[in-house]
Amino acid sequence: MLGQRQQELERLCERLGYKFNDLSLLDLALSHSSWSNEQALPHPFLACNERLEFLGDAVLELVISHYLYTNFPDAPEGELSRIRSNLVNAHSLSQCAGYLQLGSYLLLGRGEELQDGRGKVSILADALEALMAAIFLDGGMEAATKVINRLFARKVESSPQHVGHKDHKSILQERVQAIMPSHPQYKLLSSSGPDHHKIFQVAVMLQGKTLATGIGHSKKQAEQDAAHQALGAFDTTHHESADK
């Protein structure tokens, strides 16, 4: 591993609060398929983070499920599932990746670089999953648990206050129609990723203006996430207008 790259990865370890025994695992976790495909390797899928992403998804779900099960003993199964879904969706994972500034450490192909791949929600979310798998392989479940709990602590504690709503779209529509004769509209912005793991991005609009965007593994999930994000923006805008 080149000296400059090693120094970059060591700085990331400091942000993580975890020191890798094998930095090549961390390097692999940050290697996107667009980069490995350009290296003329016989098996490029072995030099990108997709396999780690597969493992990291399971590690994240297990650690967060155990945390929720232990810390919310009175919550029913459905509530725990909703909280977990809110924590491990692509939007949430990309936020954690942003906190760690993972985008600046990614190895991307030329095409992804030109398309602002370092800021793409799907790429950042996948990289975070791969990173958790790399920590698990390098230091075991105890190390992965410590890092995950530290990264998601604030989100976990605040989730019960935000995931109890069953239908964010309905709530948003009710609030809008209470003050104006209009209703939110949803527009598909993009879809990316393989067929078995697609990420949809949707905008929720009101009177031609975008209130918020959301993402999900289906259009319905993305619309619900957009409505969820829009609720805060809509309330803030309405309150500011009312105060003037």
Side-chain angles (χ1 to χ4, degrees), residues 7-25:
Q7 291 175 8
E8 291 175 352
L9 297 181
E10 287 174 348
R11 286 196 294 271
L12 177 56
C13 287
E14 293 177 3
R15 295 189 65 85
L16 272 172
Y18 176 76
K19 184 177 181 180
F20 272 82
N21 298 300
D22 182 2
L23 271 180
S24 67
L25 276 171

Side-chain angles (χ1 to χ4, degrees), residues 86-101:
N86 191 58
L87 292 168
V88 300
N89 65 31
H91 184 79
S92 174
L93 297 183
S94 67
Q95 285 182 330
C96 288
Y99 167 75
L100 294 171
Q101 300 179 2

Side-chain angles (χ1 to χ4, degrees), residues 34-84:
S34 62
W35 176 86
S36 64
N37 287 334
E38 292 181 356
Q39 305 308 304
L41 301 171
H43 303 292
F45 70 90
L46 295 178
C48 73
N49 63 7
E50 289 181 348
R51 283 168 51 84
L52 283 175
E53 173 199 336
F54 163 78
L55 178 60
D57 177 63
V59 172
L60 271 166
E61 286 222 358
L62 177 59
V63 171
I64 290 177
S65 295
H66 182 255
Y67 182 96
L68 296 176
Y69 180 86
T70 302
N71 288 275
F72 300 100
D74 298 325
E77 183 271 340
E79 181 74 3
L80 294 176
S81 294
R82 285 193 294 273
I83 297 173
R84 183 180 63 193

Side-chain angles (χ1 to χ4, degrees), residues 145-214:
T145 298
K146 287 181 179 179
V147 173
I148 292 170
N149 285 348
R150 185 163 57 247
L151 279 175
F152 286 83
R154 185 177 300 176
K155 287 179 174 290
V156 170
E157 295 303 328
S158 63
S159 286
Q161 302 172 17
H162 299 290
V163 300
H165 302 306
K166 294 182 179 180
D167 189 348
H168 296 296
K169 289 179 65 176
S170 295
I171 295 169
L172 179 62
Q173 182 160 320
E174 289 173 0
R175 292 189 185 179
V176 169
Q177 293 185 330
I179 62 170
M180 64 179 68
S182 185
H183 62 275
Q185 295 180 322
Y186 296 85
K187 178 181 179 181
L188 178 64
L189 298 178
S190 67
S191 63
S192 60
D195 289 340
H196 68 280
H197 198 64
K198 274 196 174 297
I199 297 292
F200 295 88
Q201 184 174 29
V202 167
V204 56
M205 308 180 73
L206 184 63
Q207 297 181 332
K209 296 182 179 180
T210 299
L211 285 179
T213 60

Side-chain angles (χ1 to χ4, degrees), residues 106-165:
L106 292 173
L107 296 177
L108 297 177
R110 289 186 295 273
E112 285 294 349
E113 285 280 13
L114 292 173
Q115 297 177 37
D116 193 28
R118 297 185 187 278
K120 283 186 179 179
V121 168
S122 58
I123 289 178
L124 289 173
D126 291 347
L128 187 79
E129 289 180 337
L131 175 58
M132 295 305 107
I135 294 172
F136 168 73
L137 292 174
D138 187 75
M141 184 57 80
E142 182 178 355
T145 298
K146 287 181 179 179
V147 173
I148 292 170
N149 285 348
R150 185 163 57 247
L151 279 175
F152 286 83
R154 185 177 300 176
K155 287 179 174 290
V156 170
E157 295 303 328
S158 63
S159 286
Q161 302 172 17
H162 299 290
V163 300
H165 302 306

